[in-house]
Amino acid sequence: GNSVTQMEGPVTLSEEAFLTINCTYTATGYPSLFWYVQYPGEGLQLLLKATKADDKGSNKGFEATYRKETTSFHLEKGSVQVSDSAVYFCALSDLHTGANSKLTFGKGITLSVRP
Amino acid sequence: DSGVTQTPKHLITATGQRVTLRCSPRSGDLSVYWYQQSLDQGLQFLIQYYNGEERAKGNILERFSAQQFPDLHSELNLSSLELGDSALYFCASSGPGYGYTFGSGTRLTVV
């Protein structure tokens, strides 16, 4: 079945540091890939997505590129801010099984950014 | 407002009891998904309904059940509650071309 593996956390960075959060996946077919963010006490918000190989999703300074050859979708940001402190989830949706298919999530990683 | 409404936001109940969590999807979305988020298990997919019919089932216990009504809102029923059922329960909805939208969740505490 489908699965998503995220790097172990938590991650603590100083403000303006470079961020990379690794995500790899296993899936049949051609999944869409997502990064969701969960701020303290809130629900999940879509951060960015990519629907096919070599697509780059970007939002709020975050980027991730869909790499089919390495089955990866690593999240990067050049300069993190304190307000980026949150839990980040990588997820996939196997649209090959039809529209409106469920999301499979990684375990999530907590990012803390120090001033 | 994400467009997906979950009620109640918080629920505290005793072991052995039964509770019902409610979800109203974003307008026009036919699919509703339920997820359980706990510290040790992460985000686990429970069940999906599409236009009133069960579409997919995940790691949902037999003590749990769900349904989607003709107006497309969904309810998740949890019975014979145990301490380990304490978690955040999320509902999400999706529609063609829109992607997924999550509600803010119901925090269930079983004491």
Side-chain angles (χ1 to χ4, degrees), chain A:
Chain A
N2 296 341
S3 67
V4 175
T5 302
Q6 289 184 234
M7 59 184 278
E8 295 283 326
V11 172
T12 302
L13 296 173
S14 297
E15 203 164 26
E16 299 183 1
F18 183 83
L19 169 72
T20 299
I21 301 177
N22 289 343
C23 171
T24 57
Y25 68 89
T26 302
T28 54
Y30 303 94
S32 289
L33 301 174
F34 306 82
W35 276 99
Y36 280 85
V37 60
Q38 184 179 29
Y39 297 103
E42 297 185 14
L44 279 78
Q45 300 175 26
L46 177 64
L47 181 59
L48 54 84
K49 68 177 182 181
T51 57
K52 61 183 188 296
D54 299 325
D55 264 3
K56 177 185 282 189
S58 61
N59 185 27
K60 299 181 181 180
F62 291 89
E63 292 183 340
T65 301
Y66 189 142
R67 301 285 188 200
K68 190 169 184 294
E69 63 277 11
T70 54
T71 62
S72 64
F73 193 55
H74 304 322
L75 182 68
E76 296 183 337
K77 187 174 185 182
S79 176
V80 294
Q81 305 301 311
V82 172
S83 57
D84 294 326
S85 299
V87 181
Y88 292 81
F89 293 92
C90 185
L92 69 81
S93 169
D94 187 359
L95 294 180
H96 184 67
T97 62
N100 297 294
S101 63
K102 67 178 176 69
L103 289 170
T104 299
F105 285 91
K107 288 193 177 296
I109 187 169
T110 300
L111 170 66
S112 298
V113 180
R114 298 185 299 244

Side-chain angles (χ1 to χ4, degrees), chain B:
Chain B
D1 180 8
S2 70
V4 175
T5 303
Q6 288 189 248
T7 57
K9 290 192 184 303
H10 302 279
L11 201 48
I12 301 175
T13 190
T15 54
Q17 295 298 304
R18 171 189 166 94
V19 297
T20 297
L21 313 183
R22 183 187 168 101
C23 170
S24 293
R26 183 177 52 188
S27 177
D29 285 354
L30 299 180
S31 269
V32 169
Y33 312 79
W34 287 98
Y35 290 85
Q36 179 192 58
Q37 185 181 24
S38 58
L39 281 175
D40 54 343
Q41 295 291 324
L43 264 166
Q44 297 287 312
F45 168 68
L46 295 178
I47 197 163
Q48 176 198 359
Y49 278 82
Y50 178 82
N51 202 20
E53 299 289 327
E54 183 183 302
R55 169 70 71 93
K57 211 171 212 181
N59 300 318
I60 188 166
L61 300 172
E62 284 191 11
R63 302 183 284 108
F64 296 0
S65 64
Q67 59 185 124
Q68 186 178 28
F69 295 85
D71 66 353
L72 301 178
H73 91 272
S74 177
E75 293 181 355
L76 179 67
N77 299 296
L78 314 176
S79 61
S80 303
L81 285 167
E82 303 174 359
L83 295 177
D85 297 327
S86 296
L88 200 50
Y89 291 85
F90 284 108
C91 168
S93 71
S94 70
Y98 293 165
Y100 304 83
T101 303
F102 280 79
S104 56
T106 293
R107 181 169 296 282
L108 173 67
T109 303
V110 182
V111 297

